[in-house]
Amino acid sequence: MSLHDDAVLVLKAYESQEELRQTYLDHLAAHPDGMWKACGAGHLTASALVIDAEQGRVLLTLHRKLRMWLQMGGHCEPQDVSLAAAALREATEESGIPGLTLLAGGPVRLDRHPIPAPCHWHLDVQYAAVAPPGSTQAISDESLDLRWFPYDAVAEVADESVVRLLEATRARL
């Protein structure tokens, strides 16, 4: 099964955010390259909010280009066999934490946001990843900083999309 086919199956099974879900499916139907960064009309991305539920905190990255506190995530790569695998790979690479596990139940939410040309849109499929007890993060080249934030501090540093992702994640815990 291709990554494109996996994305279609995941999105068809995803039951909330119906209008946005349909936007993703329509995008994939119209753009055979809609999974990849090269798609000028926009492309799917995969991300994961890294959580430490025992201590009530999340790990955010200060994105090098955007200079915003965000969840870990990025573009799908040819070796990714699924959106979940892409999200887990991105979270592991950007957090430096081995042994992350995705929260059961598939994607937590979807988020569509504009990005600078030439790509125009990210259609982000968002997961949550649980950090093993005692995890230590390691900053990657894509980040200016990595920091754990208590749940109640996220709204002070991150935008609404991260806050909504945290709320949806906490509802699933």
Side-chain angles (χ1 to χ4, degrees), residues 21-91:
R21 178 180 79 113
Q22 192 58 52
T23 298
Y24 283 41
L25 289 169
D26 292 346
H27 174 79
L28 290 173
H31 304 283
D33 62 345
M35 294 298 305
W36 311 113
K37 186 176 182 179
C39 182
H43 49 273
L44 268 68
T45 55
S47 68
L49 182 67
V50 176
I51 59 170
D52 176 350
E54 288 181 7
Q55 295 190 39
R57 61 187 188 159
V58 299
L59 183 65
L60 298 179
T61 179
L62 184 57
H63 193 278
R64 182 171 295 282
K65 291 180 184 175
L66 299 176
R67 305 225 189 268
M68 297 171 60
W69 288 104
L70 300 170
Q71 75 275 15
M72 314 303 150
H75 299 103
C76 296
E77 301 290 340
Q79 73 269 18
D80 296 325
V81 297
S82 66
L83 285 171
L88 188 58
R89 176 187 50 76
E90 286 285 343

Side-chain angles (χ1 to χ4, degrees), residues 130-149:
V130 178
S135 296
T136 303
Q137 72 274 14
I139 197 165
S140 76
D141 292 341
E142 296 181 40
S143 302
L144 293 172
D145 196 4
L146 279 175
R147 193 175 306 163
W148 289 102
F149 291 94

